[in-house]
Amino acid sequence: MPSREEITYFGAGPALLPTEVLKTAAASLVDYNNTGLGLAEHSHRSELATGILNTTKDDLAKYLDVPNDYEILFMQGGGSGEFSATVYNMVNVWVERRKQKILKELGVEESKIPENDLVQQLQKAVDEELKIDYVVTGSWSLKASQEAARLVGAEHVNVVADARKINDGKFGKIPEESSWKLSKNPAMVYYCDNETVDGVEFPGFPKILEPNGDDSPLVVADMSSNILSRRIPIKNYSLIFFGAQKNLGSTGITVVIIKKNLLPPVVGTPAPTLLRKLGLPIGPIVLSYETIAKNNSLYNTLSIFDVYIAGQVLKSLLATFTDKVDGQQAVADKKAQLIYAALDAHPESFKVVPAKDARSRMNICFRVTHLESVDESEKLFLKGAVEKGLTGLKGHRSVGGIRASNYNSIPLTGAEKLAAFIEEFAKTPK
């Protein structure tokens, strides 16, 4: 059996973790700081746990340069949970702001207007104006849009752009921004910055969504698979979320970075009775950003052990890169360039799936066309890769092919080994 040092794991998630982080975490799982208890056994409400949580938040803010007017929340439920949470919370914000606009137009305080009159006007606004915008560029943004339609109704969901319409029914491109059909004052504009299944990554923040004063859209992004790998213009976003299990840590926690002006006391939360009258869904309290923020992410039992692992990953990154995320971005870009260059050098043996201007640095998706049969080619490729200690390369079950997930924990030497094997495989007799 191969040792840990002999393999490079390119799995898409749960992903490879730094060995030193795992060794530290393993010791802490048995006895944390000579307390006689393992970290997973300590109360999440203990001073020890709070210290770990706050330190991890501070280090994440330091590494990504998170502005002071943003709050960092640790939650559970993964990215899929956030598909729902973003809808619940952002629709709440939209309803509250729309209510305040109605009151301002009427020139009255809420206590001075008959409740039925206010509900009637709000209902009209919900029916005619409420929209949630989705840019669909892959499997995950598609699922997010479908969850929104399930929760609030398809009539309130606007697909701004669907990449399949410009790519023969398949994902692999990002539609030109000039073709996007944005709603007027949507509850949010949602996109997935990096699609793990389809190997598509936005090259940068969409220009069409850049802040433009009071009319700036509320932009929400899923960054589960490329967070910590490049600099983010956080000020352009209202909310960013990401599961930990790609670049940050182990499965079990999800991080939300949210602008504080979307939380009380800046903006209120509609009463459940009002939402029921409007026919809008009421989210579970564990998905309420207000509740999680008020309780410093400790409303319910948070996995402090998983927070600790994330914290150790961040400490390792901060120690490695004095220029923080910019240093990691340079490495991530170099690794991706090495692998793509090897693939592009042999078009007769390999076909990169997404368009060149939409290629992900994190999830490199390609087909092997070395033999007449693609299936046989890919079986041969995967078998040879495993023999070289290159594992986890099989593509997602929904699309097949090969997928090399080039997350931060993949060392430069790992990318070099894969590039060398691609070169070697292309030269094998057909």
Side-chain angles (χ1 to χ4, degrees):
M1 296 293 288
S3 67
R4 183 176 180 85
E5 291 72 24
E6 291 174 320
I7 67 168
T8 304
Y9 179 64
F10 289 94
L16 187 71
L17 281 163
T19 299
E20 290 307 311
V21 167
L22 287 179
K23 288 179 179 178
T24 301
S28 298
L29 191 57
V30 177
D31 186 347
Y32 181 71
N33 279 6
N34 297 315
T35 59
L37 287 176
L39 187 51
E41 298 165 308
H42 279 275
S43 169
H44 65 297
R45 301 201 186 282
S46 65
E47 184 178 339
L48 175 151
T50 300
I52 290 171
L53 176 62
N54 289 339
T55 299
T56 303
K57 286 171 64 173
D58 289 345
D59 285 345
L60 178 61
K62 185 187 302 181
Y63 180 79
L64 288 178
D65 289 322
V66 178
N68 291 331
D69 57 340
Y70 285 75
E71 184 64 67
I72 296 174
L73 311 176
F74 286 85
M75 300 179 68
Q76 295 164 68
S80 295
E82 290 305 311
F83 295 166
S84 307
T86 49
V87 173
Y88 292 131
N89 288 275
M90 300 304 283
V91 166
N92 283 358
V93 170
W94 186 91
V95 169
E96 185 63 23
R97 288 182 168 181
R98 196 64 184 84
K99 182 179 78 174
Q100 296 304 323
K101 183 179 179 182
I102 289 170
L103 293 172
K104 184 177 181 180
E105 290 171 349
L106 295 174
V108 297
E109 297 178 8
E110 187 172 352
S111 60
K112 302 289 179 63
I113 182 173
E115 184 182 13
N116 286 342
D117 289 354
L118 180 58
V119 170
Q120 188 176 25
Q121 293 208 40
L122 265 175
Q123 187 68 69
K124 185 174 186 294
V126 168
D127 292 343
E128 296 178 0
E129 302 172 29
L130 176 59
K131 292 291 182 184
I132 313 174
D133 282 6
Y134 286 84
V135 185
V136 176
T137 54
S139 301
W140 294 115
S141 50
L142 175 61
K143 286 187 176 183
S145 69
Q146 291 170 337
E147 175 65 354
R150 188 182 74 86
L151 292 175
V152 299
E155 68 274 18
H156 296 299
V157 174
N158 172 43
V159 175
V160 170
D162 187 335
R164 294 171 297 181
K165 293 182 178 180
I166 62 166
N167 197 40
D168 297 326
K170 297 179 180 179
F171 292 119
K173 293 183 178 181
I174 297 174
E176 290 288 338
E177 292 179 20
S178 59
S179 69
W180 293 13
K181 294 178 173 58
L182 294 165
S183 302
K184 182 179 180 182
N185 299 320
M188 65 177 176
V189 182
Y190 184 112
Y191 75 97
C192 181
D193 204 37
N194 183 78
E195 294 277 4
T196 58
V197 173
D198 307 286
V200 169
E201 183 178 27
F202 279 79
F205 188 84
K207 289 190 176 298
I208 196 171
L209 300 180
E210 288 179 350
N212 59 359
D214 293 340
D215 293 327
S216 298
L218 300 182
V219 181
V220 172
D222 175 355
M223 295 190 176
S224 291
S225 50
N226 65 349
I227 195 68
L228 309 187
S229 73
R230 68 178 182 184
R231 179 161 291 281
I232 304 165
I234 292 177
K235 280 284 192 182
N236 290 0
Y237 296 93
S238 296
L239 188 155
I240 296 166
F241 73 80
F242 43 96
Q245 67 273 14
K246 313 290 187 182
N247 277 331
L248 179 60
S250 53
T251 306
I253 55 170
T254 309
V255 182
V256 172
I257 302 176
I258 183 172
K259 203 160 193 176
K260 289 179 180 177
N261 68 7
L262 297 176
L263 297 168
V266 181
V267 64
T269 301
T273 51
L274 175 60
L275 293 172
R276 275 193 286 271
K277 288 176 181 178
L278 296 173
L280 293 172
I282 301 164
I285 199 162
V286 293
L287 295 183
S288 163
Y289 298 148
E290 174 189 2
T291 299
I292 302 303
K294 279 182 179 178
N295 290 276
N296 190 29
S297 299
L298 296 172
Y299 174 76
N300 60 327
T301 308
L302 182 67
S303 175
I304 294 299
F305 183 67
D306 292 319
V307 176
Y308 175 75
I309 291 176
Q312 292 302 304
V313 170
L314 287 164
K315 287 187 182 304
S316 176
L317 288 169
L318 287 167
T320 303
F321 301 107
T322 56
D323 50 354
K324 300 178 292 189
V325 70
D326 295 319
Q328 178 62 75
Q329 178 171 345
V331 175
D333 291 351
K334 184 174 182 179
K335 290 188 298 174
Q337 288 163 6
L338 274 171
I339 297 169
Y340 279 122
L343 293 169
D344 289 339
H346 301 283
E348 72 288 348
S349 295
F350 304 100
K351 180 183 184 301
V352 177
V353 175
K356 201 162 190 175
D357 60 357
R359 289 178 176 180
S360 168
R361 300 162 309 123
M362 295 290 102
N363 305 100
I364 298 169
C365 296
F366 59 96
R367 305 307 302 253
V368 185
T369 56
H370 188 68
L371 303 176
E372 187 174 339
S373 167
V374 172
D375 285 345
E376 290 303 314
S377 295
E378 290 176 349
K379 285 178 183 177
L380 192 63
F381 181 88
L382 290 171
K383 181 176 181 294
V386 170
E387 291 171 356
K388 297 285 186 180
L390 305 169
T391 65
L393 287 165
K394 191 173 183 179
H396 191 273
R397 63 186 181 279
S398 65
V399 294
I402 310 296
R403 174 174 56 174
S405 292
N406 180 40
Y407 299 134
N408 289 350
S409 55
I410 298 294
L412 179 59
T413 54
E416 290 171 341
K417 287 178 183 176
L418 178 57
F421 174 65
I422 289 169
E423 293 278 357
E424 179 184 321
F425 185 86
K427 295 173 183 176
T428 58
K430 296 185 179 181

